[in-house]
Amino acid sequence: MFDDFYGLQARPFQLTPDPAFYFESLTHRKALSYLGYGLAQGEGFVVITGEVGAGKSTLVAYLMATIDPAQMTVANVVTSALDGDEIVHVVAQAFGLQVAGHDKASALGAIEAFLHEEARAGRRCLLVVDEAQNLSVSALEELRMLSNFQLGSQPLLQTLLLGQPEFRETLLQSEQLEQLRQRVIATHHLAAMQPDEVQAYIEHRLTCAGWKGRPGFDPAVFAEIYKISGGIPRRINQIVNRLLLLGAVDQRTRIDGAMVGQVLDELEDDGAASLVSPPHDIGNEPVVLADVAQPVEGRRL
């Protein structure tokens, strides 16, 4: 509705990841550097963590769009609570393999044969595992075992693990994952955007959708959105979506602070306020919200 009213050619604040709208904030730039370094090594594990909605999937989608399928075969897995046997079958399916029977040995054999075929054809293989915090320790150990497959001295599989902050803690603290930790070659925690990046983020996504300056935004709106959202991209998207919808309904060509307050009231009434704010009450002092998801430098584990 609002896209027609404002003359937009796409939905600029959709919640599903779209690499066409990728915005390189400081934390995303760092994450992309670590990803690039890790993938260049061609082995082991690369770990990216971040709050829900921080942009992990969008970052990876942007990176995947730059990969030549003639050089690399990529399989994507979004995990639920899987054990060791289950993850092996899920990985086989992600690479498009048909496994006769349901035993783990058959699945492992199919994966190894496939990885050998890809290597002989000159292609590397990358496994992207999203929501890695849902995996059991046994499933993570099976992923480590898959990283042992080699053709001569050439590793056959590299794995990118994406997870929420608790996955980072599990990986760092679990005594059972020491061998996996030793295989991690790069890691980065995707933090919230900085206050001065919110305006650029919103305007970037609008511009990607054909924005010509309509609607305009009062400068104070961006500070309010940061205070509410804590700088998390998906929360920002939800707020701005509601603002644009309200603006279209009320035939407004400029978004102001009063409209932000009205949107917050509506979200409270709908019971959806928690979707756009960190786990603090709306109305807390800005410093509290700004402390959500402080940057953590990427480093080797």
Side-chain angles (χ1 to χ4, degrees):
M1 175 182 178
F2 63 74
D3 48 344
D4 291 334
F5 180 73
Y6 291 121
L8 302 176
Q9 300 164 5
R11 296 169 54 198
F13 298 100
Q14 61 185 2
L15 302 182
T16 53
D18 186 341
F21 288 90
Y22 172 73
F23 174 77
E24 194 170 76
S25 68
L26 176 62
T27 189
H28 286 80
R29 187 180 310 121
K30 288 182 178 180
L32 198 60
S33 296
Y34 282 98
L35 273 173
Y37 166 79
L39 293 182
Q41 308 311 302
E43 63 178 338
F45 291 81
V46 179
V47 179
I48 300 293
T49 56
E51 299 288 345
V52 174
K56 300 182 293 295
S57 297
T58 300
L59 176 73
V60 173
Y62 174 78
L63 181 68
M64 293 301 105
T66 69
I67 288 176
D68 181 357
Q71 302 294 320
M72 181 179 289
T73 299
V74 181
N76 292 278
V77 171
V78 180
T79 70
S80 55
L82 301 175
D83 63 22
D85 289 351
E86 291 167 333
I87 191 64
V88 171
H89 285 279
V90 169
V91 170
Q93 292 169 4
F95 278 115
L97 305 178
Q98 300 296 320
V99 179
H102 297 285
D103 61 296
K104 186 171 76 172
S106 296
L108 286 171
I111 292 170
E112 185 174 16
F114 172 80
L115 295 177
H116 277 265
E117 289 174 5
E118 292 296 290
R120 292 190 181 99
R123 289 186 293 271
R124 295 167 50 194
C125 288
L126 175 68
L127 175 65
V128 180
V129 181
D130 204 351
E131 305 295 349
Q133 75 279 350
N134 293 328
L135 292 174
S136 65
V137 169
S138 65
L140 289 167
E141 271 295 285
E142 287 295 340
L143 291 178
R144 182 187 66 80
M145 295 298 292
L146 292 178
S147 73
N148 288 334
F149 288 141
Q150 290 183 290
L151 181 61
S153 61
Q154 177 187 353
L156 296 180
L157 180 65
Q158 186 173 35
T159 302
L160 170 58
L161 299 174
L162 307 175
Q164 294 175 24
E166 57 266 32
F167 176 65
R168 183 179 178 86
E169 297 306 312
T170 297
L171 196 57
L172 285 169
Q173 296 176 6
S174 174
E175 294 181 0
Q176 298 169 278
L177 296 176
E178 175 61 28
Q179 293 187 74
L180 177 57
R181 280 196 293 274
Q182 293 177 8
R183 301 287 182 91
V184 175
I185 59 175
T187 181
H188 180 74
H189 181 74
L190 199 60
M193 288 190 293
Q194 299 299 306
D196 59 358
E197 293 178 315
V198 171
Q199 179 175 352
Y201 171 78
I202 291 172
E203 292 180 348
H204 167 77
R205 293 190 70 104
L206 284 167
T207 299
C208 288
W211 180 60
K212 303 298 184 184
R214 183 174 181 269
F217 291 81
D218 286 352
V221 167
F222 302 111
E224 285 298 310
I225 291 174
Y226 175 79
K227 183 173 72 172
I228 297 160
S229 68
I232 299 297
R234 188 181 299 165
R235 296 172 186 158
I236 294 172
N237 289 1
Q238 290 169 319
I239 295 168
V240 181
N241 259 331
R242 296 290 288 255
L243 282 170
L244 293 178
L245 179 60
L246 175 61
V249 169
D250 290 350
Q251 304 271 294
R252 302 284 292 272
T253 59
R254 191 164 188 83
I255 307 297
D256 59 26
M259 295 174 67
V260 177
Q262 186 174 341
V263 163
L264 286 181
D265 289 342
E266 292 175 355
L267 289 167
E268 289 278 14
D269 291 342
D270 295 344
S274 62
L275 297 177
V276 302
S277 296
H280 302 284
D281 293 333
I282 290 175
N284 278 352
E285 292 301 315
V287 67
V288 176
L289 292 168
D291 283 343
V292 174
Q294 289 297 313
V296 177
E297 291 292 339
R299 58 180 177 85
R300 287 177 66 92
L301 283 170

